[in-house]
Amino acid sequence: MSKTALMYLVGGIVVIGGIGTYMISQPTLQDAAEVREQASGKATGKMSMKDLIAANISQKCTVDESNDVSQSSGVVYVANGKLRGDFQSMASGMTVQSHMIADGEYSYVWTSATNQGFKMPVSAQESAAVSDTSGTQGQQSVDYNQQLGYACEPWTADANTFSLPSGVTFTDMSTMMRDAQSGLPTGR
């Protein structure tokens, strides 16, 4: 398998597995109010990443997600409009460590298997989640509105948690997709 194909495979696994696990830590608007009220203790329920960030509470959330195809677990940290997720996903007997940081402007996704990662504007992901009804959006980006189960507790924010890793090169996925689309032949 070529290095480029491996990069896309790992990237796809990261995006799908990391996103699935990452999305597990999502509150609803009603639950976000409960999280604010329970900021001094633990809270569990269904929320979206957008709601977790909007709650404006420094918190550490654990997430677990299983389906017929894969199993994922991880920890999500949220503070000051930023989010970081560290996940372990298992599918088809293969285990992948994936990571994500959303800084309000971009989402960055990478795995421990390679020194290549992807970044995409958060605004493009939010609009793609709203406009895509084909069911394929989750394969390309994070759905900030997806409701998933979480268990959160207060956390003292550490700015280093949201620092990008050294040694990982991030490719802008929105530019890559735009370039790929511009190279496609047009239909008649």
Side-chain angles (χ1 to χ4, degrees), residues 113-186:
T114 180
N115 62 355
Q116 298 292 311
F118 298 94
K119 73 177 187 177
M120 181 171 239
V122 171
S123 59
Q125 294 172 357
E126 288 176 340
S127 63
V130 170
S131 64
D132 184 6
T133 58
S134 67
T136 62
Q137 181 273 332
Q139 297 173 4
Q140 298 175 6
S141 64
V142 176
D143 181 352
Y144 280 85
N145 297 305
Q146 182 180 359
Q147 302 287 311
L148 297 165
Y150 73 95
C152 296
E153 61 186 37
W155 172 67
T156 302
D158 175 4
N160 291 328
T161 300
F162 305 105
S163 297
L164 294 175
S166 60
V168 176
T169 304
F170 292 94
T171 301
D172 189 329
M173 221 163 142
S174 60
T175 302
M176 190 169 61
M177 289 187 310
R178 184 182 62 236
D179 291 348
Q181 288 176 346
S182 67
L184 293 175
T186 58

Side-chain angles (χ1 to χ4, degrees), residues 72-102:
S72 300
S73 62
V75 179
V76 175
Y77 301 90
V78 183
N80 305 318
K82 297 180 181 181
L83 186 144
R84 177 185 179 123
D86 298 306
F87 311 102
Q88 180 171 316
S89 301
M90 183 177 218
S92 303
M94 187 171 140
T95 301
V96 176
Q97 301 281 329
S98 59
H99 311 276
M100 178 179 178
I101 292 177

